[in-house]
Amino acid sequence: MSWVLFMTVTKVAVLTEENVDEGIIKEAGKILRTGGLVAFPTETVYGLGGDALQKESSEKIYRAKGRPSDNPLIVHICRWEAVEKIAKEIPPEAEVLAENFWPGPLTMILKKSETVPAETTGGLSTVAIRMPQNKIALALIDAAGGYVAAPSANVSGKPSPTMAEHVEEDLEGKIEMILDGGTVGIGLESTIVDLTEGRPVILRPGYITKEMLEAVLKAEVDVDKTLLEADSGQAPRAPGMKYRHYAPKGEMTVVFGQVRDVTCTIQGLVREKMLAGEKVGVICTEETKDFYSADFVVSAGTGTDEEMIARRLYGILRQFDRDEVTYIYSEAFSDRGIGQAVMNRLLKAAGYHMIET
Ligand code: TXA
Ligand code: MG
């Protein structure tokens, strides 16, 4: 048998949120209901969707991504009633969070019901649930029957896709369809909060911050210890966080300190590596970009615009991979608001390789 037999023709359809094409959504929904895979935009990153209630679909997702099957998937829904079907012992906090943040960039971990196959949850007795905000995503979930398992639509080890072109780069020929809804708004994956063990715990920081959750719950929210340190010696509670997910090809270092010290340190390292024949990229801000001279100097945005930096980060890392950059130096950014999530992803990408000046 030839490998060509296993290739799938990937159809790419362009849609807009303002005017979601019903014909395309119907076609995509049918692909999902009959066990195929469709990548779609959400407000955070692109997802690789399969029917969450068919175990074969989840297995296909793992194969297409090259992802270990013990890493559970998020089930995407489009109405609250779906939670009652796939989760049990739903705590009152879940309703409060849904009222305030759904549809939106928040994923909740709840106890799973029998309806969800173990393949979808990586064998766990809990299930991750999210109602995304993107209208194309919501229409697709509805057309698919209401339960779409979707990890980020990248192959394992690459940054999550923030544009359909990134999805094509990774999954062309491996999935049936890609819905191209343009560039996503947020650019980093959803906040994950675990509601299964008494006090809510953030397992992955995102656009919805600890302070935002605490304000509506009127209670304290914890942060998973493994997120705060490079090596806490403990396994993270979101299995996916243990993998070095967002790794660029080049060796990456994040430099902390006062602006002057950071720019001097980075430029010194850039010079040294370039003299050694390496291809070097710098990630910086509008305010500092003129201080550098390297093969690639990329501004992620104004230093005080954490949302812009979040939106651009993964695209910059992907471009560095395409350009075969061998060393990457990034300034440490503000950790205000979504900046917390930016720094979490940046440090993960760097394998916690950092310099304090
Ligand atoms: O913004 C997002 O959440 C995107 C879009 C497509 O919705 N999805 C996404 O999925 O980032 P993925 O599979 O790349 O990341 C899901 C994370 C993984 O770290 C996984 O281990 C964790 O969620 N997770 C899923 N189910 C879980 C569970 N039952 N308990 C703990 N962690 C879970
Ligand atoms: Mg992912």
Side-chain angles (χ1 to χ4, degrees):
M1 252 193 293
S2 135
W3 63 273
V4 174
L5 290 178
F6 298 104
M7 288 279 290
T8 308
V9 176
T10 305
K11 175 168 176 174
V12 181
V14 179
L15 290 93
T16 60
E17 270 199 272
E18 293 69 41
N19 187 8
V20 182
D21 186 311
E22 276 179 40
I24 293 172
I25 292 296
K26 216 171 148 194
E27 184 184 345
K30 189 171 172 203
I31 293 173
L32 292 177
R33 276 187 282 107
T34 52
L37 303 184
V38 177
F40 60 96
T42 81
E43 73 280 25
T44 58
V45 298
Y46 273 76
L48 171 58
D51 185 340
L53 306 187
Q54 295 183 44
K55 70 180 176 69
E56 296 78 12
S57 297
S58 296
E59 287 164 350
K60 267 194 198 168
I61 291 175
Y62 291 120
R63 272 202 303 277
K65 270 184 74 88
R67 169 175 181 158
S69 58
D70 66 346
N71 190 357
L73 308 173
I74 296 175
V75 180
H76 294 67
I77 58 170
C78 57
R79 53 181 69 86
W80 168 260
E81 290 67 38
V83 176
E84 287 157 4
K85 179 154 171 203
I86 58 178
K88 61 181 185 191
E89 300 165 41
I90 301 162
E93 288 88 350
E95 273 182 74
V96 175
L97 293 182
E99 261 165 42
N100 284 277
F101 300 115
W102 276 0
L106 180 71
T107 296
M108 296 189 225
I109 310 286
L110 298 171
K111 292 201 177 124
K112 94 172 189 63
S113 75
E114 299 304 311
T115 322
V116 188
E119 284 73 9
T120 301
T121 62
L124 296 179
S125 59
T126 55
V127 59
I129 312 178
R130 169 160 120 82
M131 190 190 295
Q133 196 169 35
N134 184 290
K135 293 204 176 67
I136 300 167
L138 289 169
L140 176 70
I141 297 162
D142 197 24
Y147 307 89
V148 175
S152 48
N154 51 288
V155 291
S156 232
K158 286 258 209 120
S160 296
T162 52
M163 319 193 311
E165 288 77 6
H166 298 161
V167 183
E168 285 182 65
E169 191 174 274
D170 285 9
L171 296 172
E172 167 104 74
K174 296 185 184 167
I175 63 176
E176 280 75 13
M177 196 169 185
I178 298 172
L179 302 182
D180 178 352
T183 302
V184 300
I186 294 179
L188 295 180
E189 306 84 349
S190 62
T191 304
I192 302 180
V193 62
D194 186 347
L195 298 178
T196 61
E197 300 201 35
R199 205 199 271 214
V201 188
I202 293 177
L203 307 189
R204 180 173 73 181
Y207 184 86
I208 309 290
T209 61
K210 173 175 148 81
E211 293 70 28
M212 288 159 80
L213 295 172
E214 287 179 337
V216 301
L217 290 174
K218 299 184 177 58
E220 268 188 60
V221 170
D222 286 338
V223 175
D224 186 14
K225 269 204 212 69
T226 62
L227 293 180
L228 306 175
E229 311 152 39
D231 187 11
S232 64
Q234 272 178 293
R237 282 168 56 182
M241 300 298 275
K242 79 180 173 222
Y243 300 106
R244 189 170 165 254
H245 247 187
Y246 317 98
K249 283 187 200 151
E251 187 181 305
M252 181 162 157
T253 306
V254 183
V255 183
F256 290 76
Q258 299 295 323
V259 181
R260 239 187 92 90
D261 301 333
V262 169
T263 52
C264 287
T265 302
I266 292 181
Q267 191 51 43
L269 289 162
V270 169
R271 198 176 306 120
E272 186 185 303
K273 293 296 177 202
M274 284 177 68
L275 281 172
E278 301 291 347
K279 216 179 213 192
V280 187
V282 174
I283 310 178
C284 56
T285 61
E286 282 304 305
E287 294 83 356
T288 56
K289 65 179 186 204
D290 295 332
F291 293 123
Y292 301 108
S293 139
D295 295 299
F296 303 93
V297 176
V298 185
S299 158
T302 313
T304 49
D305 189 350
E306 294 84 9
E307 297 196 1
M308 175 67 83
I309 298 171
R311 201 175 305 134
R312 289 193 183 161
L313 180 65
Y314 285 153
I316 295 172
L317 292 177
R318 265 187 191 258
Q319 189 57 47
F320 281 169
D321 276 354
R322 270 189 232 118
D323 293 329
E324 315 229 300
V325 168
T326 53
Y327 282 87
I328 302 169
Y329 297 99
S330 177
E331 295 179 357
F333 298 107
S334 148
D335 63 0
R336 197 177 54 131
I338 196 178
Q340 278 174 29
V342 169
M343 288 309 297
N344 168 262
R345 307 309 197 275
L346 198 62
L347 286 170
K348 271 170 68 82
Y352 294 93
H353 197 204
M354 42 191 154
I355 296 175
E356 303 267 357
T357 61

